[in-house]
């Protein structure tokens, strides 16, 4: 009888240990899920590039990490690459900030003017020079893609795609509200051979 009791007690201990381990695993998984949710909701979020509008700097299929907290601390700046919601289309766009509140924007062919000053755009410099070497404009749709002159209202940004001839941006959808801006694209994490921090050009 004593031997049987000992065996029974030993079996209960093993079962109890297995149960505790399962509970600990469940706790860890729940915590992990909650952390991922909080991080994606408030800090960082993945984004997949879809379309040619940001070529040559971003290609379809590239996966980015979007910093969602930065613009709760400060406003977007010229040259930063941002992701924002487009409610009318039910999806998100990735574009570059060209104008911030108070800026007077004018785009004539491949020449960008902000507050009547011609602005260098190093992020498309090589692409523009290559187009000119072929005897054409980079923003080759001409007057239909030009911006006669607009002033950026408060609480909005003016955003353009780097691929000016093939981009649905503020020339079409208008100014982007601060409330629609998801965050700044900060890291390319896929494909792995393109893993890098995204450079943001400022004037």
């Amino acid at each position: 009888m004593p031997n049987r009791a000992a065996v029974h007690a030993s079996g209960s201990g093993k079962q109890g240990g297995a149960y505790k381990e399962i509970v600990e695993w469940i706790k860890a998984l729940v915590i992990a899920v909650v952390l991922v949710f909080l991080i994606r909701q408030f800090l960082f979020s993945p984004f997949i590039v879809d379309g040619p509008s940001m070529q040559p700097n971003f290609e379809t299929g590239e996966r980015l990490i979007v910093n969602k907290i930065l613009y709760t601390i400060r406003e977007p700046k010229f040259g930063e690459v941002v992701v924002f919601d487009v409610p009318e289309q039910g999806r998100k766009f990735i574009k570059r900030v060209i104008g911030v509140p108070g800026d007077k924007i004018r785009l004539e062919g491949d020449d960008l003017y902000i507050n009547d000053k011609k602005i260098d755009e190093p992020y498309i410099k090589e692409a523009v020079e290559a187009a000119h070497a072929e005897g054409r404009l980079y923003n080759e749709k001409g007057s239909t893609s030009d911006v006669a002159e607009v002033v950026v209202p408060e609480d909005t940004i003016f955003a353009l795609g780097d691929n000016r001839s093939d981009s649905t941006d503020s020339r079409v959808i208008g100014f982007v509200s601060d409330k629609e801006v998801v965050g700044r694209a900060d890291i390319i994490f896929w494909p792995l051979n393109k893993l890098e921090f995204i450079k943001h050009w400022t004037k």
Side-chain angles (χ1 to χ4, degrees):
M1 292 292 292
N3 289 339
R4 290 180 181 178
V7 170
H8 179 73
S10 175
S12 299
K14 288 180 179 178
Q15 289 177 355
Y19 174 77
K20 286 181 180 179
E21 188 171 345
I22 291 171
V23 170
E24 290 303 316
W25 270 102
I26 292 173
K27 286 181 180 178
L29 287 172
V30 169
I31 291 171
V33 169
V34 171
L35 285 175
V36 169
F37 172 79
L38 291 175
I39 288 170
R40 290 192 60 169
Q41 190 71 19
F42 300 107
L43 300 178
F44 303 98
S45 179
F47 176 80
I48 302 176
V49 179
D50 181 19
S53 72
M54 287 297 287
Q55 291 175 346
N57 297 302
F58 299 90
E59 300 288 343
T60 293
E62 290 180 347
R63 286 163 167 77
L64 318 176
I65 295 294
V66 178
N67 182 338
K68 299 175 71 174
I69 197 171
L70 179 64
Y71 296 143
T72 65
I73 300 170
R74 66 164 176 81
E75 300 299 316
K77 296 180 180 179
F78 171 89
E80 293 183 327
V81 177
V82 298
V83 171
F84 55 87
D85 289 311
V86 184
E88 299 82 2
Q89 300 196 24
R91 59 194 183 110
K92 295 177 173 61
F93 280 7
I94 178 171
K95 306 294 176 187
R96 193 177 298 274
V97 178
I98 297 300
V100 298
D103 281 345
K104 183 170 65 175
I105 307 295
R106 188 168 85 254
L107 182 63
E108 298 176 351
D110 292 331
D111 295 327
L112 172 67
Y113 297 87
I114 299 180
N115 301 323
D116 297 320
K117 178 182 177 182
K118 187 176 177 180
I119 303 297
D120 290 329
E121 297 187 89
Y123 40 86
I124 55 172
K125 181 179 179 181
E126 290 185 8
V128 170
E129 290 177 346
H132 291 180
E134 296 173 1
R136 62 181 178 85
L137 289 173
Y138 183 62
N139 185 24
E140 61 184 352
K141 289 183 180 178
S143 60
T144 58
S145 291
D146 288 352
V147 179
E149 187 170 278
V150 295
V151 176
V152 184
E154 288 297 318
D155 302 320
T156 68
I157 59 171
F158 186 87
L160 295 177
D162 289 349
N163 186 5
R164 297 283 160 80
S165 290
D166 194 0
S167 174
T168 301
D169 46 41
S170 286
R171 293 170 294 181
V172 177
I173 64 174
F175 301 105
V176 179
S177 166
D178 288 348
K179 295 178 181 178
E180 295 167 346
V181 176
V182 176
R184 187 176 77 172
D186 273 352
I187 300 172
I188 299 175
F189 72 90
W190 189 267
L192 290 177
N193 64 340
K194 291 188 176 181
L195 178 65
E196 65 177 356
F197 287 97
I198 294 168
K199 186 171 183 179
H200 298 281
W201 302 86
T202 57
K203 59 182 174 63

